[in-house]
Amino acid sequence: STSAINMQESYPVIAKVPTHILTWGKWIEESLGDQKEIVLCITGNPGLPGFYTKFLSTVHECLNKEMPVWVIGQAGHDEADENPYKRPTPPLKGNEELYNLSGQLQHKIEFIRKYVPEDVKIHLIAHSIGSYMALELLKVPDISARVKHCYFLFPTLERMASTRNGFIVTRLINPVWCVWQWFYRMFAMLPLFVRTWIIYIYFLIDRIPKCYLGTGLKYMNPAVIDKIWFLAIDEMKKVKELDLNTLSENKHRIKLYYGTTDGWVPVKYYHDLKARLPDIDAELCTKKYDHAFVLRSAVQMGFTVVM
């Protein structure tokens, strides 16, 4: 497909962590020239940009390929396949501050300062916990000055531990996490063709397009799952009260899109927000897209964002 030809990727080191970056249009190290606007997507958690390819190539095509589209994943969630130039990813143990919620926020700040010129405006698309990070970015003056518009998709901005999925994570899975750890470490020791086959079967059952198989395999790397889980638990502790002030101050440049089947963001949170900030631009999805929309509704969401 043309989108694959236009896509470029690499693992530049950002905040000490080699980070998977994908771009459509100009690469991050190319001069933007007279291009004064870009789209930047901040992923959710798990933060593997490979899951966002269909969604963002659609966004790029809907913009007539006239605006560069970049995506940054979460630090440590996507390790480069072995190659001689590979910089090692710092281990979780002893580097917790790189991989917790504030470390991930710092990681995004460093990326923007390094690669987005000060006179270039950013259209931020943020998914799930990426929306929480994007809202925090609006409190950083030099970053905020670059942001033209924010689109928060299925945004986890508040009371995460109180949601249905928050309950499952904190009460059911976390107490027996060591059992899960043992399980996925064992899985990682299976031959590659067996792992691929198991993930392929899982994708078939769950109706996940097989173009995400490679990303699924990367996701099953134990060092990656450890960091995904570490961030998830930190989110449960930190994401409590909605930051109404920042939302209110920036409502002219924020649009929020809420799901109706979202285990992380109940519909009640949408209604609560509209009651507290009636003039905020928030929309309730009518199409029953999942929280993880990138898997089964990527193209449709690509159109929705650009409309």
Side-chain angles (χ1 to χ4, degrees):
S1 75
T2 52
S3 61
I5 298 163
N6 288 325
M7 192 180 90
Q8 292 175 275
E9 60 181 315
S10 189
Y11 286 82
V13 177
I14 298 156
K16 300 184 188 151
V17 182
T19 302
H20 196 189
I21 303 291
L22 301 175
T23 68
W24 291 261
K26 290 229 161 77
W27 174 243
I28 55 171
E29 280 154 339
E30 275 181 68
S31 159
L32 287 168
D34 50 7
Q35 186 76 55
K36 291 300 175 221
E37 294 184 30
I38 62 158
V39 173
L40 175 62
C41 175
I42 301 175
T43 70
N45 176 19
L48 293 91
F51 286 130
Y52 291 75
T53 49
K54 245 185 171 159
F55 167 58
L56 292 170
S57 60
T58 304
V59 169
H60 189 234
E61 292 189 13
C62 288
L63 295 167
N64 303 320
K65 305 186 180 175
E66 283 164 8
M67 204 184 288
V69 175
W70 299 353
V71 56
I72 180 168
Q74 305 303 342
H77 290 200
D78 189 337
E79 298 199 359
D81 297 324
E82 289 302 328
N83 67 51
Y85 307 105
K86 180 182 164 186
R87 287 277 299 269
T89 301
L92 175 58
K93 199 168 167 51
N95 295 291
E96 289 83 0
E97 77 291 342
L98 297 177
Y99 300 118
N100 62 12
L101 194 52
S102 65
Q104 295 290 359
L105 176 64
Q106 209 42 54
H107 175 253
K108 310 306 172 278
I109 292 172
E110 190 162 313
F111 174 79
I112 292 171
R113 285 184 180 151
K114 188 167 179 185
Y115 292 109
V116 183
E118 286 184 21
D119 60 339
V120 169
K121 291 288 179 233
I122 303 172
H123 297 262
L124 262 185
I125 299 177
H127 174 221
S128 191
I129 195 64
S131 305
Y132 178 88
M133 294 176 197
L135 194 60
E136 291 293 312
L137 289 175
L138 297 181
K139 299 185 206 167
V140 182
D142 67 302
I143 306 286
S144 180
R146 292 174 173 90
V147 176
K148 183 169 185 176
H149 195 260
C150 302
Y151 212 125
F152 295 167
L153 308 175
F154 305 88
T156 52
L157 299 174
E158 57 177 311
R159 298 174 281 171
M160 283 185 73
S162 316
T163 62
R164 185 181 76 224
N165 288 2
F167 176 82
I168 293 169
V169 162
T170 53
R171 300 295 162 83
L172 303 182
I173 303 178
N174 204 34
V176 292
W177 182 245
C178 51
V179 176
W180 286 100
Q181 258 186 331
W182 178 86
F183 171 77
Y184 64 74
R185 277 174 170 63
M186 288 295 123
F187 179 85
M189 293 165 97
L190 297 169
L192 178 62
F193 77 94
V194 178
R195 281 180 287 151
T196 308
W197 185 77
I198 293 170
I199 293 174
Y200 180 69
I201 299 296
Y202 172 76
F203 275 28
L204 276 179
I205 294 166
D206 214 18
R207 302 193 339 276
I208 299 170
K210 55 181 181 292
C211 61
Y212 299 122
L213 253 176
T215 307
L217 275 166
K218 287 173 137 189
Y219 171 76
M220 289 307 293
N221 169 354
V224 167
I225 299 182
D226 288 346
K227 295 181 186 81
I228 287 170
W229 189 255
F230 177 74
L231 176 59
I233 295 302
D234 200 43
E235 292 167 24
M236 299 303 123
K237 292 182 197 143
K238 306 269 170 60
V239 183
K240 299 281 197 208
E241 287 311 305
L242 182 62
D243 182 356
L244 216 56
N245 274 352
T246 308
L247 271 176
S248 180
E249 284 163 18
N250 294 281
K251 62 185 177 215
H252 59 286
R253 54 175 176 168
I254 294 177
K255 182 171 175 65
L256 304 100
Y257 191 91
Y258 284 81
T260 49
T261 60
D262 194 335
W264 285 114
V265 191
V267 177
K268 179 184 185 315
Y269 289 8
Y270 164 80
H271 292 300
D272 290 352
L273 174 68
K274 289 297 275 184
R276 295 166 80 184
L277 275 181
D279 55 348
I280 190 98
D281 187 1
E283 182 184 339
L284 200 54
C285 172
T286 53
K287 314 245 176 44
K288 291 211 159 88
Y289 296 152
D290 296 332
H291 181 82
F293 72 89
V294 289
L295 299 179
R296 294 180 205 83
S297 324
V299 173
Q300 299 91 313
M301 277 307 295
F303 286 120
T304 305
V305 167
V306 178
M307 287 312 280

